[in-house]
Amino acid sequence: MIEVLLSMKTLILNGSPRHNGDTLSMIAQLKKHLDGEIKIVNTYYDKISACLDCRYCWKHDGCSQKDDMQGIYDYLKDCDNVIIASPVYFSELTGPLLSVASRLQTFYATRRFRKQNPMLKKKFGAILLSGGGDGEPNKAESTAKCLLKHMNAEYIGHVYSLHTDSLPSKDDRVAIQEIYNLAVKLNSLDRTTSIGK
């Protein structure tokens, strides 16, 4: 058998509206240490509508809405990692991130109603959350884990920076170290595949 080293691909779902905010600071730290190709979906600004519950995917492959989500579907089929990164608003992931996530319905419908395999490569998933105030991360974490499951991503860890009203993420040394550790963990996972004889 010939062992081939594949370039790691990571999809980051960014739920922040701020171009230079705390969530983006955490993403930048991860990108600095993460190997391979990285695709970032900016859920506030990319052209992706929420699921319409039209039920097209109950009987057909894919989605009836033809927007930027089509490229995400393609990337999800063979990427190695998915990172969900979001501020915590009212103890939850942000609305536009949840709207994008609603479009994962097509994978659920493929399994549930059409009794088929959505052909999503097994991947690894992690969560980055930022926030200040009195919001708790538990609900946002629970939602993110559910979304990772529907993208066939095994949850391997999270990093939180939750005191950003007094300590910005870019200055949160504990979070910065944890992000580095997460990148090292993702980089160390086995990325070889066997082809031929």
Side-chain angles (χ1 to χ4, degrees):
M1 300 292 273
I2 301 171
E3 293 293 320
V4 179
L5 183 63
L6 302 176
S7 176
M8 185 169 69
K9 293 183 178 182
T10 300
L11 177 68
I12 300 178
L13 298 177
N14 168 31
S16 176
R18 298 177 62 205
H19 295 292
N20 296 299
D22 294 296
T23 302
L24 265 292
S25 174
M26 296 175 77
I27 290 172
Q29 282 294 327
L30 184 65
K31 284 180 61 182
K32 190 187 303 184
H33 304 292
L34 195 60
D35 294 340
E37 178 182 302
I38 299 171
K39 178 180 179 67
I40 299 177
V41 177
N42 293 302
T43 59
Y44 271 83
Y45 303 106
D46 291 352
K47 293 185 171 85
I48 303 172
S49 299
C51 175
L52 299 172
D53 194 24
C54 68
R55 305 190 179 184
Y56 172 91
C57 61
W58 286 27
K59 296 182 179 179
H60 305 92
D61 188 37
C63 179
S64 67
Q65 299 188 78
K66 306 306 178 190
D67 55 15
D68 289 349
M69 192 69 189
Q70 302 304 318
I72 299 171
Y73 289 145
D74 291 339
Y75 206 82
L76 276 170
K77 288 179 180 176
D78 67 353
C79 71
D80 302 285
N81 311 307
V82 178
I83 311 297
I84 295 178
S86 180
V88 177
Y89 290 174
F90 297 100
S91 301
E92 185 54 281
L93 303 177
T94 59
L97 177 52
L98 292 173
S99 289
V100 170
S102 72
R103 297 285 295 281
L104 299 175
Q105 174 71 9
T106 186
F107 300 135
Y108 172 78
T110 298
R111 288 189 299 269
R112 175 73 170 81
F113 301 112
R114 301 203 321 273
K115 310 298 183 188
Q116 296 173 359
N117 185 338
M119 302 302 291
L120 288 174
K121 177 180 175 180
K122 179 70 176 176
K123 51 187 68 71
F124 297 97
I127 304 165
L128 304 179
L129 296 179
S130 66
D134 58 1
E136 294 293 331
N138 297 351
K139 180 66 174 74
E141 177 186 310
S142 176
T143 301
K145 286 179 178 178
C146 176
L147 299 178
L148 290 172
K149 176 184 174 184
H150 286 288
M151 290 183 278
N152 202 25
E154 177 187 341
Y155 170 73
I156 63 164
H158 65 260
V159 178
Y160 298 160
S161 182
L162 297 175
H163 304 286
T164 58
D165 46 353
S166 58
L167 180 66
S169 293
K170 65 182 178 63
D171 299 323
D172 187 340
R173 293 183 180 180
V174 172
I176 290 170
Q177 180 62 48
E178 289 178 348
I179 290 170
Y180 171 79
N181 294 343
L182 178 63
V184 168
K185 184 174 184 178
L186 289 167
N187 291 339
S188 69
L189 295 171
D190 185 13
R191 302 295 170 187
T192 60
T193 188
S194 298
I195 59 172
K197 285 189 176 180

